[in-house]
């Protein structure tokens, strides 16, 4: 029987401490692959804790891929290969789970007219995810900017270091440690105006001769950026656990760009076993790296956020990228990346001549916003807001007369979910018919390279930019336009 002490749990909740202890036993091999775990009631009684405590711990382990369930049988340990764990130095890994942050801007341009001046002709937009103006903390931001201009005048006039002002990088490093379990130095962080700029720095850092792999399906803007820099880009197929390792090996990629905590558009969360396989792949050759793009993982709506891949990397192979576009606003244009120390040394040697592309005014204001706890409060408020928006949308869909033709998938991972439609319309017809009804929508097949003709009959529902007062009519228009009964 599993036995753990809760005396040294510190500030952790009971379920968090239990989750960490079980995960540690799995990673250390004390719990073997496919070994059955005690039932929730049995373990709760043995540890003298509530069943809810065990249930929450098991739920987090299940979400991260450390355990799996069998109907009417119970929970079992996943096969996290020991050799993979050894490669990445799992025994020194940080097992802290905290509040996740990030996102690249997924203002996904699916059709040529998606960002045209007449975009406002849509009644509802389930593609664009620009922040609603009422959700931005204007009063707080204005107050902090005023304080910055009063108190930091001398600093504001000094040239920022290439990687950004130290105060902001220190605030980001502290935030990542407290809420993401990442132990990084401020000197490993580079701040820039948008992720596109940072991608350009990575290409210069790793070399134009490197082959860059992107997820398929995936966020197409990344591929466009690599094309613009005229570097070789290949597509890595996905499976139910994320990037397929066999496909990655066959691709010849040196660098792979992934979003393991919440993949766009499938919503896949990469389990622990696949994460260690990815780190093992990177460790095999000197020039291999993983770019970890944290897409809206701080808005995971069930369970704790998934720990960052960077937090279990002991081979200096993960470049961690994040932005404040999702947590604050898509127009804030402040992003950052965390480089492994060897790459940071190389950056300082060959690229530090670049000037920081974010103004001192914005950097010092954001520093205060993080240090004084406003970012954490804002994310918590927005998580509640988005959960309510999602629940209202799902409620409208489930109460609609056409709901029997709909299957909802991946509604808990982040700010979009998938809606599979039982319809005789093609994906192209669904998108066009929705547009005619005033609804901007995209299909899953539109994010697939080389599979454009394969109809998925699945729509991507991005709900972060939908106003509350139009949700009911938007859902009605969408369903009425895309569902065509075959009988």
């Amino acid at each position: 029987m599993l036995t753990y002490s809760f005396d040294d749990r510190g500030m952790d909740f009971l379920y968090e401490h239990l989750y960490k202890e079980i995960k540690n036993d799995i990673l250390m091999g004390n719990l073997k692959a496919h070994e059955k775990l005690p039932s929730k009631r049995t373990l709760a009684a043995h540890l003298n804790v509530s069943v809810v405590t065990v249930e929450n711990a098991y739920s987090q382990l299940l979400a991260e891929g450390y355990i799996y369930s069998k109907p009417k049988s119970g929970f079992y340990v996943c096969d996290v290969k020991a050799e993979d764990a050894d490669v990445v130095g799992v025994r020194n890994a940080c097992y802290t789970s905290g509040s996740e942050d990030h996102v690249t801007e997924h203002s996904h341009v699916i059709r040529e007219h998606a960002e045209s001046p007449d975009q406002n002709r849509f009644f509802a937009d389930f593609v664009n995810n620009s922040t609603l103006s009422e959700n931005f903390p204007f009063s707080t931001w204005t107050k902090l900017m005023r304080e910055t201009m009063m108190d930091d005048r001398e600093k504001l006039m000094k040239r920022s270091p290439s990687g950004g002002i130290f105060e902001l990088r220190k605030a980001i490093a502290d935030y990542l440690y407290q809420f993401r379990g990442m132990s990084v130095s401020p000197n490993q962080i580079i701040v820039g105006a948008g992720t596109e700029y940072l991608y350009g720095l990575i290409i210069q850092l790793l070399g134009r001769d490197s082959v860059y792999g992107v997820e398929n399906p995936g966020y197409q803007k990344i591929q466009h950026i690599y094309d613009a820099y005229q570097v070789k880009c290949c597509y890595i197929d996905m499976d139910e656990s994320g990037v397929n390792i066999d496909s990655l090996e066959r691709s010849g990629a040196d660098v792979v760009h992934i979003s393991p905590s919440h993949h766009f558009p499938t919503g896949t969360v990469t389990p622990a076993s696949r994460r260690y396989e990815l780190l093992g792949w990177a460790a095999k050759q000197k020039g291999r790296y993983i770019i970890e793009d944290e897409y809206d993982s701080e808005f995971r709506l069930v369970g704790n956020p998934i720990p960052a891949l960077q937090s279990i990397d002991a081979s200096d192979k993960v470049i961690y990228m994040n932005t404040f576009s999702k947590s604050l606003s898509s127009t804030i244009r402040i992003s950052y990346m965390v480089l492994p120390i060897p790459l940071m040394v190389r950056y300082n040697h060959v690229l530090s001549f670049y000037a920081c592309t974010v103004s001192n005014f914005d950097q010092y204001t954001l520093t205060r916003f993080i240090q004084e706890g406003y970012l954490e409060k804002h994310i918590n408020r927005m998580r509640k807001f988005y959960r309510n928006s999602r629940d209202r949308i799902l409620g409208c869909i489930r109460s609609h007369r056409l709901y029997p033709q709909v299957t909802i998938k991946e509604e808990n991972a982040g700010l979009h979910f998938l809606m599979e439609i039982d319809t005789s319309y093609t994906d192209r017809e669904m998108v066009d018919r929705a547009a005619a009804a005033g609804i901007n929508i995209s299909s899953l097949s539109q994010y697939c390279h080389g599979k454009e003709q394969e109809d998925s009959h699945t729509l991507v529902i991005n709900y972060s930019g939908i106003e509350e007062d139009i949700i009911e009519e938007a859902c009605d228009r969408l369903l009425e336009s895309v569902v065509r009964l075959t009988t």
Side-chain angles (χ1 to χ4, degrees):
M1 178 63 67
L2 302 179
T3 301
Y4 304 110
S5 170
F6 291 86
D7 294 337
D8 59 347
R9 63 187 175 94
M11 299 298 291
D12 286 346
F13 291 110
L14 290 174
Y15 85 90
E16 289 178 316
H17 182 75
L18 178 58
Y19 144 78
K20 293 176 184 177
E21 292 289 339
I22 296 175
K23 183 168 81 168
N24 191 31
D25 272 348
I26 293 173
L27 293 172
M28 298 297 290
N30 298 328
L31 290 172
K32 306 300 182 184
H34 310 301
E35 180 178 341
K36 185 176 182 180
L37 296 174
S39 71
K40 290 178 283 188
R41 291 188 180 278
T42 299
L43 185 57
H46 176 69
L47 297 177
N48 195 28
V49 297
S50 71
V51 175
V52 173
T53 294
V54 179
E55 187 175 70
N56 288 340
Y58 278 7
S59 294
Q60 187 67 19
L61 290 164
L62 187 67
E64 294 183 23
Y66 288 99
I67 65 175
Y68 63 95
S69 64
K70 291 184 179 180
K72 299 182 180 179
S73 178
F75 294 92
Y76 295 81
V77 177
C78 285
D79 186 8
V80 179
K81 295 180 181 180
E83 57 268 28
D84 296 330
D86 289 340
V87 167
V88 298
V90 70
R91 288 172 177 80
N92 296 321
C94 172
Y95 304 129
T96 306
S97 176
S99 210
E100 286 201 18
D101 176 43
H102 171 83
V103 148
T104 55
E105 312 162 25
H106 285 290
S107 199
H108 299 287
V109 185
I110 305 306
R111 298 175 297 282
E112 288 184 359
H113 65 266
E115 289 188 344
S116 62
D118 64 343
Q119 187 174 0
N120 291 332
R121 67 186 176 88
F122 291 111
F123 174 77
D125 193 340
F126 288 104
V127 176
N128 185 7
N129 65 357
S130 296
T131 307
L132 297 175
S133 60
E134 58 265 31
N135 288 332
F136 186 80
F138 281 106
S139 59
T140 300
W141 194 262
T142 301
K143 178 180 79 73
L144 295 177
M145 183 169 283
R146 186 182 302 112
E147 292 175 359
T148 296
M149 288 189 287
M150 290 296 295
D151 301 339
D152 299 323
R153 292 182 179 181
E154 185 175 346
K155 293 180 180 179
L156 289 172
M157 295 298 105
K158 291 183 178 179
R159 177 172 175 165
S160 169
S162 177
I165 64 169
F166 181 82
E167 290 88 342
L168 176 56
R169 288 182 286 140
K170 176 67 163 59
I172 292 173
D174 290 344
Y175 182 86
L176 291 176
Y177 178 76
Q178 294 172 11
F179 298 102
R180 299 295 293 109
M182 294 170 56
S183 181
V184 302
S185 165
N187 294 322
Q188 292 176 253
I189 296 173
I190 296 175
V191 175
T195 53
E196 294 94 335
Y197 166 74
L198 297 178
Y199 295 149
L201 292 181
I202 290 176
I203 291 170
Q204 294 175 70
L205 197 59
L206 302 184
R208 294 178 182 272
D209 294 333
S210 295
V211 179
Y212 295 81
V214 296
E215 298 163 318
N216 186 31
Y219 179 36
Q220 296 174 341
K221 191 173 187 179
I222 298 169
Q223 177 253 318
H224 294 322
I225 293 170
Y226 289 136
D227 286 348
Y229 277 92
Q230 299 180 327
V231 296
K232 186 175 181 181
C233 181
C234 60
Y235 296 85
I236 315 299
D237 291 335
M238 305 281 293
D239 59 30
E240 67 279 358
S241 295
V243 165
N244 182 280
I245 298 297
D246 290 337
S247 177
L248 178 58
E249 290 282 7
R250 291 193 302 267
S251 71
D254 302 299
V255 183
V256 60
H257 192 128
I258 63 175
S259 50
S261 292
H262 180 222
H263 174 257
F264 186 91
T266 66
T268 298
V269 176
T270 301
S273 57
R274 180 62 55 83
R275 291 174 184 238
Y276 291 127
E277 287 184 276
L278 287 165
L279 290 170
W281 167 86
K284 286 180 182 178
Q285 294 186 17
K286 183 178 179 181
R288 288 181 174 178
Y289 290 95
I290 297 171
I291 300 174
E292 180 181 16
D293 189 352
E294 284 276 47
Y295 170 60
D296 77 357
S297 49
E298 74 264 68
F299 295 113
R300 176 175 167 80
L301 301 181
V302 172
N304 277 348
I306 307 300
L309 183 65
Q310 191 276 348
S311 69
I312 57 171
D313 170 33
S315 300
D316 288 330
K317 289 293 187 177
V318 176
I319 300 170
Y320 177 89
M321 299 195 70
N322 209 327
T323 181
F324 295 96
S325 295
K326 181 60 68 177
S327 54
L328 278 175
S329 167
S330 56
T331 58
I332 201 73
R333 305 303 299 163
I334 303 179
S335 303
Y336 64 92
M337 63 180 174
V338 179
L339 293 178
I341 292 176
L343 285 184
M344 193 67 220
V345 172
R346 189 187 306 176
Y347 174 89
N348 288 333
H349 181 64
V350 300
L351 295 179
S352 59
F353 65 87
Y354 276 108
C356 182
T357 51
V358 181
S359 76
N360 282 8
F361 291 83
D362 289 335
Q363 288 192 68
Y364 280 108
T365 302
L366 179 57
T367 300
R368 288 173 180 258
F369 193 81
I370 299 172
Q371 289 178 336
E372 297 180 23
Y374 291 112
L375 178 61
E376 180 185 359
K377 293 177 183 177
H378 178 69
I379 289 175
N380 290 336
R381 183 175 69 86
M382 293 308 300
R383 188 182 290 119
K384 180 178 179 180
F385 173 84
Y386 289 136
R387 183 184 291 109
N388 290 338
S389 295
R390 181 208 59 178
D391 291 346
R392 285 196 60 195
I393 291 172
L394 291 176
C396 289
I397 293 173
R398 287 166 176 158
S399 63
H400 197 278
R401 68 179 185 86
L402 294 174
Y403 176 61
Q405 310 303 122
V406 170
T407 301
I408 302 297
K409 299 179 179 179
E410 303 295 343
E411 70 266 32
N412 292 321
L415 300 184
H416 75 276
F417 60 85
L418 302 181
M419 186 166 70
E420 185 177 349
I421 310 293
D422 182 8
T423 181
S424 58
Y425 291 125
T426 66
D427 288 5
R428 182 72 263 173
E429 288 173 330
M430 284 198 294
V431 170
D432 289 343
R433 286 180 59 83
I439 306 297
N440 192 21
I441 197 73
S442 63
S443 67
L444 181 60
S445 61
Q446 289 174 274
Y447 299 94
C448 298
H449 175 76
K451 303 177 181 179
E452 292 83 358
Q453 305 305 316
E454 297 182 15
D455 288 318
S456 64
H457 297 293
T458 300
L459 300 177
V460 181
I461 311 295
N462 185 332
Y463 55 85
S464 63
I466 300 296
E467 297 89 346
E468 291 188 40
D469 58 350
I470 68 168
I471 286 177
E472 185 173 354
E473 184 175 349
C475 291
D476 183 67
R477 289 193 189 192
L478 177 60
L479 289 174
E480 293 289 344
S481 63
V482 300
V483 176
R484 180 167 69 179
L485 302 179
T486 55
T487 57

